[in-house]
Amino acid sequence: MLPNDSLTRRELLRRSTLVLTGTLLSADTILAGQAPASAGAANPALIEDLVAASRILAREGIVDAFGHVSVRHDRDRNRYLLSRSLAPALVTPEDIIEYDLDSNPVNANGRALFSERFIHGEIYKARPDVNAVVHAHAPSIVSFSVSTIPLRPIYHMSAFIGEGLPMFDIRQAAGMTDMLVSNGDRGRALAQKLTTKTAVLMRGHGVAVVGPSLPFAVGRSIYLELNARIQGQAMGLGGGVTYLDPEEARKVIESGENRSYERAWELWKRQVSGQR
Ligand SMILES: [Zn+2]
């Protein structure tokens, strides 16, 4: 017996909807209606600082066309703010998207999302003390991510390295991959490696740097890259290298890490103001 024509059409429609749903969900977007509820508008000053952070990191060469910075939402600790997929130097307040901690967007409105946003969401879940996260492929840090030579604090500005930083090798966490932290499982594995530290190196990829605020996360990113560059140069001189003793590093931090980056933040913000 031939199938009823109208049933066949309905079945075809159902099947094409399923295919479409699968395509949309796998393509870094989420269907309208499934978006989590918004925590409400974030403080405009926080959005301005996030935009400035993005532009500062680009100006300092920590990020280029790739890399990103996020901040925890000031009205809900289970939400964070991150720009749409865009070169950091081009970010404006209109590009900022709100996410839940599973990295589902609240208000994407069809905009492209960073595939590695899970770095941010999973770190905010694991680290209640963290309110800002930077992910970068800063070149001198990448050198140390593939070397057996550990990155160590070379001067007082990078005392936050302490006794060293953990290394995340995505191959150990997820086997052979495209190297990207592009799902919750990989993000969780990265956050577990970070433990209580200020940053985690990512083998053959880059780094995730955290802080209690944007100035700390941005400042640490800048001085971590500088430390890597200086350490490489010092080692290249050929003699021995004297690093900060762990006790010296601890005393620097106890006396106020780089004066909470307040002076630097004022300068860096000024340098990127008027760029838009
Ligand atoms: Zn990356």
Side-chain angles (χ1 to χ4, degrees):
M1 196 176 87
L2 285 170
N4 178 298
D5 268 3
S6 66
L7 275 180
T8 305
R9 272 199 298 275
R10 205 178 307 150
E11 178 62 12
L12 277 174
L13 185 64
R14 190 185 75 83
R15 286 182 188 173
S16 61
T17 306
L18 282 175
V19 169
L20 183 63
T21 306
T23 307
L24 283 175
L25 286 175
S26 65
D28 264 7
T29 59
I30 195 154
L31 288 172
Q34 290 185 334
S38 172
N43 184 341
L46 188 68
I47 300 275
E48 279 297 330
D49 272 1
L50 180 56
V51 170
S54 202
R55 289 166 175 264
I56 289 165
L57 289 166
R59 186 181 183 278
E60 297 290 330
I62 307 303
V63 296
D64 47 21
F66 300 94
H68 23 86
V69 53
S70 70
V71 69
R72 205 188 283 268
H73 199 300
D74 59 303
R75 293 173 69 161
D76 187 342
R77 299 193 55 73
N78 293 315
R79 295 282 183 276
Y80 71 93
L81 306 163
L82 172 70
S83 90
R84 70 182 170 95
S85 180
L86 185 68
L90 304 179
V91 171
T92 68
E94 292 71 40
D95 298 309
I96 304 301
I97 296 175
E98 178 186 344
Y99 292 90
D100 70 9
L101 297 194
D102 288 328
S103 297
N104 297 311
V106 169
N107 55 345
N109 299 328
R111 292 175 288 181
L113 312 178
F114 285 124
S115 63
E116 293 198 284
R117 59 190 181 278
F118 302 93
I119 293 170
H120 303 263
E122 296 302 326
I123 287 177
Y124 288 125
K125 263 189 224 172
R127 288 282 299 272
D129 60 310
V130 166
N131 293 316
V133 177
V134 172
H135 170 54
H137 312 147
S140 305
I141 298 174
V142 173
S143 301
F144 283 90
S145 85
V146 296
S147 172
T148 55
I149 303 287
L151 189 63
R152 294 176 61 185
I154 204 94
Y155 69 157
H156 62 304
M157 299 303 289
S158 51
F160 57 84
I161 294 172
E163 295 184 49
L165 297 174
M167 173 79 74
F168 171 71
D169 188 339
I170 197 165
R171 200 182 297 166
Q172 288 171 3
M176 294 297 165
T177 65
D178 60 359
M179 303 297 290
L180 299 180
V181 182
S182 51
N183 63 41
D185 287 343
R186 294 177 189 180
R188 251 185 314 283
L190 176 75
Q192 278 169 10
K193 270 286 174 198
L194 172 64
T195 62
T196 60
K197 304 288 188 175
T198 51
V200 54
L201 303 191
M202 301 162 71
R203 193 268 305 165
H205 184 161
V207 68
V209 184
V210 304
S213 67
L214 282 167
F216 274 83
V218 169
R220 286 171 178 173
S221 300
I222 290 169
Y223 288 109
L224 195 59
E225 167 64 13
L226 273 173
N227 189 94
R229 203 181 308 162
I230 297 168
Q231 186 178 338
Q233 287 167 356
M235 295 179 81
L237 293 175
V241 178
T242 304
Y243 299 95
L244 290 200
D245 187 273
E247 193 176 342
E248 288 174 322
R250 195 170 55 249
K251 286 189 168 170
V252 171
I253 298 303
E254 282 170 5
S255 71
E257 181 184 330
N258 297 335
R259 299 181 186 275
S260 301
Y261 298 94
E262 283 174 12
R263 191 193 307 166
W265 187 248
E266 187 184 353
L267 169 69
W268 293 331
K269 272 189 80 168
R270 180 78 61 87
Q271 288 171 331
V272 297
S273 69
Q275 280 188 354
R276 310 206 303 269

